[in-house]
Every structure is written in structure tokens, then in C-alpha cells.
Amino acid sequence: MSANRPAWMGKPSPLVKAVKAVALVVVVAVVLFPFWTIVATSIASPQEVVDNGGWVVIPTSLSFHAYTDVFEGGVITHALLISGGITAVGTLLSLVATVFLAYALSRPSIVGGKPVLLAILFTFLFPPAMIPAFLVVQELGLKEDYLSLILPVLVNTFNLVVMRGFFQNVPSELIEAARLDGAGDFRILTRVVMPLSKAVIAVIGLFYAVSYWNSFFTAILYMRSDQWPVQAVLRQYVTQGAALSNTSEVTVVNSPQSTKMAVVVMATIPIIVLYPFVQRFFAKGVLTGAIKSLGKRSQP
């Protein structure tokens, strides 16, 4: 009986298990080593960093002087608050817009749903270039306004398609039963569809949060230097060095390597802390939504 089973369903031998374990350890080490080097360099003394050529793997003496310098300057603290606000507001607005639009496009009776969907998919294939996007933001009066970092990227096409595919496979019997009870579309969405779609909503929310948190190029284009989020300031630190004073202009200085790595750690930790809370929804939300969406397309 076992001979008829596919190879991937058979019980692996001890040698195969050992090889998988070694490969997993190697992959984890390769992923964690760069991050550990950054953390170790950030807590090493500036002299030790210089003596080791700019990078420290195992610091001999701990020093949190780099973090003290960063917090005392005020630039990073201010930038972290800006990034937190943009991420929170942007993620909320993007989720609301994506959920409403995905639900509307998932209903077969919606008027003009297919042309709207094709127009949205067109933007996925041909995204706007930098200069037209800049001119649109400028003409709308959004330059040096934080809305310029949110409104142009409010709805991501990939996220919309995944969520629409998930909504399409909510049992139609539940929706029809709710309609018979007198519920409208808004109540059906909030009371029936969304409670059944917590996994995909959590994953899409994570995608939006990471995107807003890591965005820096549009901030450099549209905002003054004292309005930059943490990723834009981080780029300034790492590539050129930046003054530790919170002024309207970022002055270029020679920041120690340990200070630069401290900024990298502070910009990375929020996402690392957030990810475990939604990790359990990740595979379920993305794979289920994508597979259901492909299944719908394959049907005649």
C-alpha cells in the first residue's frame, strides 16, 4: 500500500531528516547573521568599531552611546512618530478602501464591475511614472502634505485582487439569508463577510503597514527634510550621515558607524514586533485568497 503512495507522502529516512535540519540551520544562520552584526555594531564602542574595520560580530564591551546620541538629537524620535502616524492612518484608510472596493467588485450583480476591475488591473501592468505622479501631487496641492504619502498608493492592486478572490468564495447562502432578513450591503459586509475574512484582512493589513513603514522615496520627493519619516532619515544616516538636531534642514556630518546601525535597528524593530501577531494568518490569508481567485478565473 505504501509503495503506491507518491514520494512526497512517504516517511523520510533519518538521513533526509538530518540533511533538512542542517539546511534549515544554515538558512537561519544566513538570515540572522547580518541582523546580529548590525545589532552588535550598534552596541559596540565607536573605537571598537573602528578597530574592527566598521563591523563588530561579538562586542567586547557594551556601549549604548549610539542610542543615546540618536534619542538626544531628536531627529529619529520625530521621524519615528511621523512614520508611526503615516503607517497607522495609511493602513486604516487603505484597508477600508480595499475592503469596500473588493466587496463591490466581488458581487456579480454590480453594475460596471468588470470595466472597473479591468481599469484597476491596467494600473497594475502600467504603474504611473515618477514625473506624472509628482505633477499630479503638485497640481492637487498635496506637496509637503502627509496625504501625498497615502492617497496616491491608497489601494494596491495585488491586495485588492487577493481580497476580492476571498470575498467571492464567501458562501452565497449566508449572503442570501442576510438579504432575506432585510440586511443591506453594508450590514452584510460588516456582519457576514468581514468576520469570515479575518485572515485575509490581517495579512493585507500587514502588507499595507510594511509598505507605508518602508516607504522613503516619495517622502524625499514631496516633503521637506524636517517632515521625513524614519526610513528617509535612515537613508540619510547610512549614505551620508545626518546631524542629530531637529531642524528644518538635515546637515551632513560624519556619523559613527555604531550610530548608523542604531538607526537601522530602531527602524526595523517595529515591523519585527508586529509580524508575529499576524504570522499565523499569513499563509492562510494569502494562499486561500490567491487560490480562490485563480479558481474563479479558471471556471468557464
Side-chain angles (χ1 to χ4, degrees), residues 26-37:
V26 171
V27 171
V28 171
V30 170
V31 172
L32 291 182
F33 181 76
F35 184 72
W36 167 254
T37 303

Side-chain angles (χ1 to χ4, degrees), residues 30-219:
V30 170
V31 172
L32 291 182
F33 181 76
F35 184 72
W36 167 254
T37 303
I38 291 173
V39 175
T41 304
S42 70
I43 60 177
S45 63
Q47 186 59 45
E48 185 178 4
V49 174
V50 173
D51 294 339
N52 286 273
W55 300 99
V56 176
V57 178
I58 302 178
T60 56
S61 59
L62 300 181
S63 173
F64 295 94
H65 185 71
Y67 292 92
T68 304
D69 286 346
V70 168
F71 279 112
E72 286 181 351
V75 171
I76 297 300
T77 305
H78 181 66
L80 284 171
L81 293 175
I82 292 175
S83 289
I86 293 173
T87 301
V89 175
T91 301
L92 178 61
L93 293 178
S94 292
L95 271 179
V96 171
T98 303
V99 166
F100 276 83
L101 185 56
Y103 175 74
L105 294 176
S106 68
R107 296 301 93 203
S109 59
I110 189 71
V111 178
K114 187 167 292 187
V116 172
L117 179 61
L118 291 176
I120 294 172
L121 293 177
F122 181 83
T123 65
F124 182 72
L125 298 175
F126 302 97
M130 179 181 66
I131 294 178
F134 179 84
L135 293 177
V136 169
V137 169
Q138 189 175 43
E139 289 298 320
L140 292 177
L142 295 177
K143 198 169 182 297
E144 298 183 0
D145 191 320
Y146 290 118
L147 288 177
S148 64
L149 308 180
I150 298 175
L151 293 182
V153 292
L154 187 65
V155 177
N156 180 276
T157 305
F158 173 78
N159 296 341
L160 176 65
V161 170
V162 171
M163 190 170 290
R164 173 180 174 269
F166 203 99
F167 287 172
Q168 282 181 315
N169 286 271
V170 173
S172 58
E173 294 80 4
L174 295 177
I175 297 178
E176 293 302 325
R179 289 195 186 279
L180 291 176
D181 289 338
D185 283 320
F186 180 78
R187 190 173 181 182
I188 292 174
L189 174 62
T190 56
R191 298 293 182 88
V192 178
V193 177
M194 290 180 62
L196 296 175
S197 308
K198 292 180 180 178
V200 71
I201 292 175
V203 172
I204 298 304
L206 176 64
F207 285 169
Y208 278 126
V210 172
S211 176
Y212 281 117
W213 182 266
N214 289 335
S215 178
F216 71 93
F217 186 68
T218 53

Side-chain angles (χ1 to χ4, degrees), residues 10 217 236 281 285:
F217 186 68
Q236 193 78 2
F281 298 111

